Amino acid sequence: MSRWTFVLLALAVTACTTYKLWSETDSDERAGMIQLSYEYRRFENPQVDDRGGNDLAKERCLGWGYVGARREGEENKCLDGTKSDCSKWRVTREYRCVKGK
């Protein structure tokens, strides 16, 4: 077995699937903005419930009197290290509340 094959096999064995939940990290009722995020570490393979995040944002917007929420964007930010050698990441999604007619 070559050295690289061994390294790739070791990485495959150590990478594990982890289930992550979105949590609210920022909100502004007047602006109708909500940010949800989750964090993961190197070698984790995060599986996220996108529908759960959408529902969480929609519920918050409904509580403020809006009719729903629209996803605006997503940012992946390295929290520990550099983008090319990062050991901890934060994924943040921003939602805007939708006004009724």
Side-chain angles (χ1 to χ4, degrees), residues 44-69:
E44 284 185 320
N45 179 21
Q47 300 297 309
V48 187
D49 180 8
D50 286 329
R51 186 171 31 188
N54 293 336
D55 290 346
L56 181 60
K58 182 179 178 182
E59 288 174 23
R60 171 63 78 184
C61 289
L62 290 173
W64 290 340
Y66 293 90
V67 298

Side-chain angles (χ1 to χ4, degrees), residues 18 31 33 37 48 50 70 87-88 98:
T18 56
M33 181 276 303
S37 67
V48 187
D50 286 329
R70 180 181 66 236
S87 62
K88 186 176 183 182
V98 177

Side-chain angles (χ1 to χ4, degrees), residues 28-95:
D28 184 339
E29 183 176 356
R30 282 185 33 170
M33 181 276 303
I34 300 157
Q35 286 185 345
L36 305 178
S37 67
Y38 68 90
E39 295 178 2
Y40 68 97
R41 296 197 172 273
R42 183 185 331 213
F43 305 123
E44 284 185 320
N45 179 21
Q47 300 297 309
V48 187
D49 180 8
D50 286 329
R51 186 171 31 188
N54 293 336
D55 290 346
L56 181 60
K58 182 179 178 182
E59 288 174 23
R60 171 63 78 184
C61 289
L62 290 173
W64 290 340
Y66 293 90
V67 298
R70 180 181 66 236
R71 186 173 150 191
E72 291 286 312
E74 183 173 296
E75 176 187 45
N76 295 344
K77 181 178 180 181
C78 178
L79 300 177
D80 189 10
T82 63
K83 282 195 174 200
S84 62
D85 185 29
C86 189
S87 62
K88 186 176 183 182
W89 291 89
R90 177 181 294 138
V91 178
T92 303
R93 282 190 182 167
E94 185 170 290
Y95 291 83

